[in-house]
Amino acid sequence: MSLKYTEIDEIPKIHARLRATFESGKTQPLEYRRRQLLQLAHLIQDNAEAMQDAIYKDYGKQRLEVVIGELSPAVSAAIHAANKLEEWTKPEKPTVEEWRSSWDTTIYKQPKGVSIIISPWNYPYIISLGPLIGAIAAGCPVVLKPSEHTPAVSALYAELFPKYLDTDAYAVVNGAVSETALLLDLKWDHIFFTGSTHVGRIVAAAAAKQLTPVTLELGGKSPVFIDAENTDIELAAKRALWGRQVNAGQLCVSPDYILVPKAHQDAFVAAVKKAYAQFYPEGALHSSATLTGVHPTARDRLKGLIASTQGELVVGGREGPDGRIEPAVVKNVRVDDALMKSEIFGPIMPIVPVEDVNEAIRIIKSYSKPLVIHVFTESEATKDKFLRETQSGTVVLNDSFMQLGVYEMPFGGIGDSGYGSYLGKFSFDTFTHQRSYINVPLAAEPFLGYRYPPYTEEGYKFFAAGTFQPIPEN
């Protein structure tokens, strides 16, 4: 479908309107924030069918995948934030030294200000609404810039926002490169971007010109290690294949490649084939198969990867007439293979045989720090080894899917996979400035008096006491 872009001359007006709203203080009362959060939950619940239909129209995403990874987590997160607002926004009283105990040392939670969320096409609901929930909870007005590559979803956002949310504080801007470039030229108080590393660098550079804080949620090659002697291989294969076929592998935390000890590669492949037959009893391209489609912009690239690999294609890889591509499982993949050059972002699962866990870790460390490392093991030693010797945004043990509904944990990258985090309280923190406060009592003047010129030896000894305090031996 054709998406109506926001008029270029309207974009600065929208920005100015949200700036005026923030300056008025309208978004700061907790009652207002709670109301907007619950309205957002209603927006999703009331329009769940339309939201599922829109994303299916855009690239054939299956309904169960929409609710499990997007709509259910978003509704839960909005309600959770509404219920936690008072706790999250409560000023904190940090523990201080005895001599400063009367200074009313406090950390206040202050909204950063007018923010923008630039979201991708692959998970256009949870990756838009997750950070939006944090911004609303923090008291920040927001412009949402959804992807032009999901026109039905983006048009639905433009239709629904004014019906449920305060138009003075929350707006949708639709468009492509020109509109996004104009948005990035404006002064924001926080930018939240999810997408490719290439575009992330552009966003970070634009933010730097304005000295604007930015959260980057990017991607990379998220590996899986199968600790074959310390796990249920059949269950590991089933979970790994499921994680790879969810959203046709078009997910930044999707298992990008599998590392398995050479002696167990054939057993793992057999287990993957067994799971494959269970998932698609009539074949992955059959009309009964619940397989999400590949986005039109990615099909030629993915078909080229399947054609160019030097590994052995053991199952899948064919293209259907409806935009779907069978999940392709490829064994005996070398580290210099075409499938290992960059993030695949599609339904291809390379299996890389390794000597042992040490070689697996060396391969993982040869790439940029991933968003997620998946490890299938029941061994504490293996778990500890990955925690100690690798770096990643997250480690997921014994599964292949980052549970976006886990509110108590931050989700975010490290290095080339991004920086900053969100989910639950961490979404609120992302859009919140922690404003420190002290009230230095007049009664402290006898001590502070030593700091004034002319400096004296007595004053030096008083303040140097901290420099020469005893240091513990161990």
Side-chain angles (χ1 to χ4, degrees), residues 215-372:
T215 300
L216 296 180
E217 298 294 346
L218 307 176
K221 294 185 76 65
S222 293
V224 178
F225 175 67
I226 308 295
D227 187 13
E229 295 184 353
N230 296 293
T231 193
D232 182 329
I233 286 186
E234 288 204 352
L235 185 56
K238 189 174 188 178
R239 291 186 176 184
L241 178 61
W242 177 79
R244 196 47 172 159
Q245 65 87 49
V246 165
N247 205 40
Q250 298 163 130
L251 171 61
C252 57
V253 298
S254 179
D256 191 272
Y257 61 102
I258 311 292
L259 298 161
V260 62
K262 291 178 181 178
H264 300 277
Q265 181 183 213
D266 289 342
F268 181 75
V269 169
V272 170
K273 287 182 175 180
K274 181 179 179 180
Y276 203 101
Q278 292 172 350
F279 290 176
Y280 317 112
E282 302 294 331
L285 296 180
H286 191 270
S287 59
S288 64
T290 52
L291 181 67
T292 287
V294 169
H295 196 279
T297 60
R299 290 171 195 163
D300 288 344
R301 177 183 63 83
L302 292 169
K303 287 188 293 182
L305 282 175
I306 294 171
S308 62
T309 179
Q310 298 300 303
E312 180 184 342
L313 181 66
V314 295
V315 67
R318 296 177 303 168
E319 182 184 19
D322 54 0
R324 297 188 296 175
I325 295 177
E326 292 175 320
V329 180
V330 187
K331 75 172 187 177
N332 286 323
V333 175
R334 295 163 50 96
V335 292
D336 60 353
D337 193 84
L339 297 179
M340 299 296 289
K341 298 298 184 184
S342 60
E343 183 179 8
I344 295 172
F345 213 73
I348 307 172
M349 191 167 83
I351 300 172
V352 181
V354 295
E355 289 295 337
D356 53 24
V357 64
N358 294 314
E359 185 182 5
I361 288 177
R362 285 197 298 271
I363 290 172
I364 291 169
K365 293 172 73 171
S366 71
Y367 292 95
S368 298
K369 298 167 188 174
L371 195 53
V372 179

Side-chain angles (χ1 to χ4, degrees), residues 100 125-126 144 185 189 284 336 353 360 402 417 420 441 470:
R100 282 201 293 130
Y125 296 128
I126 189 60
L144 171 64
D185 279 340
D189 298 308
D336 60 353
M402 178 66 193
S417 59

Side-chain angles (χ1 to χ4, degrees), residues 369-381:
K369 298 167 188 174
L371 195 53
V372 179
I373 295 176
H374 310 269
V375 183
F376 285 88
T377 187
E378 293 295 312
S379 165
E380 283 294 313

